[in-house]
Coordinates of all heavy atoms in Angstrom, one line a residue:
F298 N 67.6 153.8 53.4 CA 68.4 155.0 53.4 C 67.6 156.2 53.3 O 67.8 157.3 53.7 CB 69.5 155.0 52.3 CG 70.6 154.1 52.6 CD1 70.8 152.9 51.8 CD2 71.5 154.4 53.6 CE1 71.9 152.1 52.0 CE2 72.5 153.5 53.9 CZ 72.7 152.4 53.1
R299 N 66.3 156.0 52.7 CA 65.4 157.1 52.6 C 64.9 157.5 54.0 O 64.7 158.6 54.3 CB 64.2 156.8 51.8 CG 64.6 156.8 50.3 CD 63.6 156.1 49.3 NE 62.2 156.6 49.5 CZ 61.8 157.7 48.8 NH1 62.6 158.5 48.1 NH2 60.5 158.1 48.9
S300 N 64.7 156.5 54.9 CA 64.3 156.8 56.3 C 65.4 157.4 57.1 O 65.3 158.4 57.9 CB 63.9 155.4 57.0 OG 62.8 154.9 56.5
T301 N 66.7 157.0 56.7 CA 67.8 157.6 57.3 C 67.9 159.2 56.9 O 68.1 160.1 57.8 CB 69.1 156.9 56.8 OG1 69.1 155.6 57.1 CG2 70.5 157.6 57.3
F302 N 67.6 159.4 55.6 CA 67.5 160.8 55.2 C 66.5 161.6 56.0 O 66.8 162.7 56.4 CB 67.3 160.8 53.7 CG 66.9 162.2 53.2 CD1 67.9 163.2 53.0 CD2 65.6 162.5 53.0 CE1 67.6 164.5 52.5 CE2 65.2 163.7 52.5 CZ 66.2 164.7 52.3
R303 N 65.3 161.0 56.2 CA 64.2 161.7 56.8 C 64.6 162.0 58.2 O 64.2 163.1 58.8 CB 62.9 160.8 56.7 CG 61.7 161.6 57.1 CD 61.4 162.8 56.3 NE 60.3 163.6 56.7 CZ 60.4 164.6 57.6 NH1 61.5 164.8 58.1 NH2 59.3 165.2 57.9
D304 N 65.1 161.0 58.9 CA 65.6 161.2 60.4 C 66.6 162.3 60.5 O 66.6 163.2 61.3 CB 66.1 159.9 60.9 CG 65.1 158.8 61.1 OD1 63.9 159.1 61.1 OD2 65.4 157.6 61.3
W305 N 67.5 162.2 59.6 CA 68.6 163.3 59.6 C 68.0 164.7 59.4 O 68.3 165.6 60.0 CB 69.6 163.0 58.5 CG 70.6 164.2 58.3 CD1 71.8 164.4 59.0 CD2 70.5 165.1 57.3 NE1 72.3 165.6 58.4 CE2 71.6 166.0 57.3 CE3 69.5 165.4 56.3 CZ2 71.7 167.1 56.6 CZ3 69.6 166.5 55.4 CH2 70.8 167.3 55.6
A306 N 67.1 164.8 58.4 CA 66.5 166.1 58.1 C 65.7 166.6 59.2 O 65.7 167.9 59.5 CB 65.5 165.9 56.8
A307 N 65.0 165.7 59.9 CA 64.2 166.2 61.0 C 65.0 166.6 62.3 O 64.6 167.6 63.0 CB 63.3 165.0 61.5
E308 N 66.1 166.0 62.4 CA 66.9 166.2 63.7 C 68.1 167.1 63.5 O 68.7 167.7 64.4 CB 67.4 164.9 64.2 CG 66.4 163.9 64.7 CD 66.8 162.6 65.4 OE1 68.0 162.6 65.6 OE2 66.0 161.8 65.4
Q309 N 68.6 167.3 62.3 CA 69.8 168.1 62.0 C 69.5 169.3 61.1 O 70.6 170.0 60.8 CB 70.8 167.2 61.3 CG 71.3 166.0 62.2 CD 72.0 166.4 63.4 OE1 72.8 167.3 63.4 NE2 71.6 165.7 64.6
T310 N 68.4 169.6 60.6 CA 68.1 170.7 59.9 C 67.0 171.6 60.4 O 66.1 171.0 61.2 CB 67.8 170.5 58.4 OG1 66.5 169.9 58.3 CG2 68.8 169.4 57.9
S311 N 66.9 172.8 60.0 CA 65.8 173.6 60.5 C 64.7 173.8 59.4 O 63.7 174.6 59.7 CB 66.3 175.0 61.0 OG 66.9 175.7 59.9
L312 N 64.9 173.1 58.3 CA 63.9 173.3 57.2 C 62.5 172.6 57.6 O 62.6 171.5 58.3 CB 64.4 172.7 55.9 CG 65.5 173.5 55.2 CD1 66.1 172.8 54.1 CD2 65.0 174.9 54.8
P313 N 61.4 173.1 57.1 CA 60.1 172.5 57.5 C 60.1 171.0 57.0 O 60.7 170.7 56.0 CB 59.1 173.4 56.8 CG 59.8 174.7 56.4 CD 61.3 174.3 56.3
G314 N 59.3 170.2 57.6 CA 59.2 168.8 57.3 C 58.6 168.6 55.9 O 59.1 167.6 55.3
E315 N 57.8 169.5 55.4 CA 57.1 169.3 54.1 C 58.3 169.4 53.0 O 58.1 168.8 51.9 CB 56.1 170.2 53.7 CG 56.4 171.7 53.9 CD 55.9 172.1 55.3 OE1 56.0 171.4 56.3 OE2 55.5 173.4 55.3
V316 N 59.4 170.0 53.3 CA 60.5 170.2 52.3 C 61.2 168.7 52.1 O 61.4 168.3 51.0 CB 61.5 171.2 52.7 CG1 62.7 171.2 51.7 CG2 60.8 172.6 52.8
A317 N 61.4 168.1 53.3 CA 62.0 166.8 53.3 C 61.0 165.7 52.6 O 61.4 164.9 51.9 CB 62.4 166.2 54.7
E318 N 59.7 165.9 52.9 CA 58.7 165.1 52.3 C 58.7 165.3 50.8 O 58.6 164.2 50.0 CB 57.4 165.3 52.9 CG 57.1 164.8 54.2 CD 57.3 163.4 54.5 OE1 56.5 162.6 53.9 OE2 58.3 163.0 55.2
A319 N 58.8 166.5 50.3 CA 58.9 166.7 48.9 C 60.2 166.2 48.2 O 60.2 165.7 47.1 CB 58.9 168.3 48.6
A320 N 61.2 166.2 49.0 CA 62.5 165.6 48.5 C 62.4 164.1 48.3 O 63.0 163.5 47.4 CB 63.6 165.9 49.5
L321 N 61.5 163.5 49.1 CA 61.3 162.1 49.1 C 60.2 161.7 48.1 O 59.9 160.5 47.9 CB 61.0 161.5 50.4 CG 62.1 161.5 51.5 CD1 61.5 161.1 52.8 CD2 63.2 160.5 51.1
A322 N 59.6 162.7 47.5 CA 58.5 162.6 46.5 C 57.3 161.8 47.2 O 56.6 161.0 46.5 CB 58.9 161.8 45.3
H323 N 57.1 162.1 48.4 CA 55.9 161.5 49.1 C 54.7 162.4 48.7 O 54.8 163.6 48.6 CB 56.1 161.6 50.6 CG 57.0 160.5 51.1 ND1 57.6 160.5 52.3 CD2 57.5 159.4 50.5 CE1 58.3 159.4 52.5 NE2 58.2 158.7 51.4
T324 N 53.6 161.7 48.6 CA 52.2 162.4 48.3 C 51.8 163.0 49.7 O 52.1 162.7 50.8 CB 51.2 161.4 47.9 OG1 51.1 160.4 48.8 CG2 51.6 160.9 46.6
V325 N 51.1 164.2 49.5 CA 50.6 164.9 50.7 C 49.4 164.2 51.2 O 48.4 163.9 50.4 CB 50.2 166.3 50.2 CG1 49.7 167.1 51.5 CG2 51.4 167.0 49.6
P326 N 49.4 163.8 52.4 CA 48.3 163.0 53.0 C 46.9 163.6 53.1 O 45.9 163.0 53.0 CB 48.8 162.5 54.4 CG 49.8 163.6 54.8 CD 50.4 164.0 53.5

């Protein structure tokens, strides 16, 4: 479901990708 959230954020919102990554608590590569 975390991948589901990331796909939705990328395709259905205009917020930058790093906002979704922060929501998932992913480390910055």
Side-chain angles (χ1 to χ4, degrees):
F298 287 113
R299 286 166 55 83
S300 296
T301 301
F302 168 80
R303 189 63 183 90
D304 292 343
W305 168 85
E308 298 182 14
Q309 298 295 318
T310 76
S311 58
L312 287 171
E315 54 262 36
V316 177
E318 291 296 297
L321 292 168
H323 283 166
T324 55
V325 182

